[in-house]
Amino acid sequence: MTVPQYDFLAHGHGKTAPWMDLVNSEEWDTFGRLTDHLTSPAWVRYFLRQWHFPGAPYEKTPLAKLRALRAALRKSSQALFRSQAIPPQQLRAINRALNLRGKQQLFQRQNGLRMEFVPDRGGWNFILAEIARSFVDTVAKGAPARIKICRNHDCRLIFYDLTKAKTRVWCSSNSCGNRERVRRARARIRP
Ligand SMILES: [Zn+2]
């Protein structure tokens, strides 16, 4: 079954950074049922295309590695969301993904000779490293305080709060925010 691209965008994927999409590839519905988008080849294809990763068509999707990185990134986000340090175990898992093989190479550039590290770009290990690097970018160059977890405990989606005062609390005001407004309105009506 092919899922149209706008479906993924409507669910909030493909907007902020690859790492956030990976974390949000675990999606809970209002009944607490979990969908793991990593098991959907259409989602994985969309994800690779959306972030301009080289496709890895000859390699099986490394589910165990992706899930391990996803868990580490979720736990790290939760820690940052609570203004805590990233636990060492999660830091190790992120560093494992970042530890990419490659080679030192000498280049003759216009301004002289330069030694550069050239990573192995093929396959999923490169993609895993890039996902981890996108998290480092958000944390180091962006504002970790803007990493938020939806206030709806059934939802748990992670988002990047771009509001000036960092006051956003819902993943989407159309879904979770709206449900909350309806719930409050009902509570007011009840005698
Ligand atoms: Zn939500």
Side-chain angles (χ1 to χ4, degrees), residues 38-52:
L38 285 179
T39 59
S40 152
W43 190 92
V44 173
R45 258 199 312 278
Y46 157 80
F47 173 76
L48 295 176
R49 205 172 43 227
Q50 185 70 9
W51 296 108
H52 308 289

Side-chain angles (χ1 to χ4, degrees), residues 29-188:
D29 68 9
T30 40
F31 305 102
R33 281 181 304 221
L34 173 69
T35 301
D36 185 352
H37 290 297
L38 285 179
T39 59
S40 152
W43 190 92
V44 173
R45 258 199 312 278
Y46 157 80
F47 173 76
L48 295 176
R49 205 172 43 227
Q50 185 70 9
W51 296 108
H52 308 289
F53 287 132
Y58 304 113
E59 241 186 320
K60 232 179 123 214
T61 308
L63 275 181
K65 277 187 187 177
L66 281 162
R67 284 178 176 146
L69 180 60
R70 179 172 66 185
L73 291 171
R74 176 172 285 280
K75 285 177 187 149
S76 303
S77 303
Q78 281 164 346
L80 293 171
F81 183 55
R82 296 181 194 127
S83 308
Q84 294 164 350
I86 295 173
Q89 197 189 344
Q90 317 313 334
L91 214 54
R92 274 199 297 277
I94 294 167
N95 279 330
R96 251 196 311 277
L98 284 169
N99 185 12
L100 197 58
R101 282 165 196 267
K103 55 181 179 235
Q104 298 282 2
Q105 226 176 325
L106 187 63
F107 291 97
Q108 201 140 238
R109 306 277 192 219
Q110 265 180 341
N111 50 359
L113 287 162
R114 275 175 65 109
M115 177 93 106
E116 285 174 24
F117 178 77
V118 183
D120 291 342
R121 288 183 179 274
W124 271 102
N125 280 345
F126 176 69
I127 295 165
L128 282 154
E130 284 294 292
I131 296 170
R133 202 172 60 87
S134 75
F135 175 73
V136 179
D137 278 352
T138 301
V139 174
K141 294 181 200 159
R146 291 194 183 276
I147 299 171
K148 299 271 186 80
I149 301 168
C150 180
R151 187 180 274 180
N152 175 1
H153 293 296
D154 295 330
C155 168
R156 289 171 260 191
L157 275 186
I158 288 187
F159 60 90
Y160 193 72
D161 182 1
L162 287 169
T163 61
K164 218 173 184 177
K166 299 181 202 155
T167 48
R168 196 175 142 198
V169 292
W170 309 108
C171 66
S172 147
S173 52
N174 290 330
S175 53
C176 289
N178 206 32
R179 253 199 304 278
E180 176 66 11
R181 274 191 291 278
V182 170
R183 194 188 64 77
R184 274 200 213 146
R186 284 210 188 110
R188 271 198 299 275

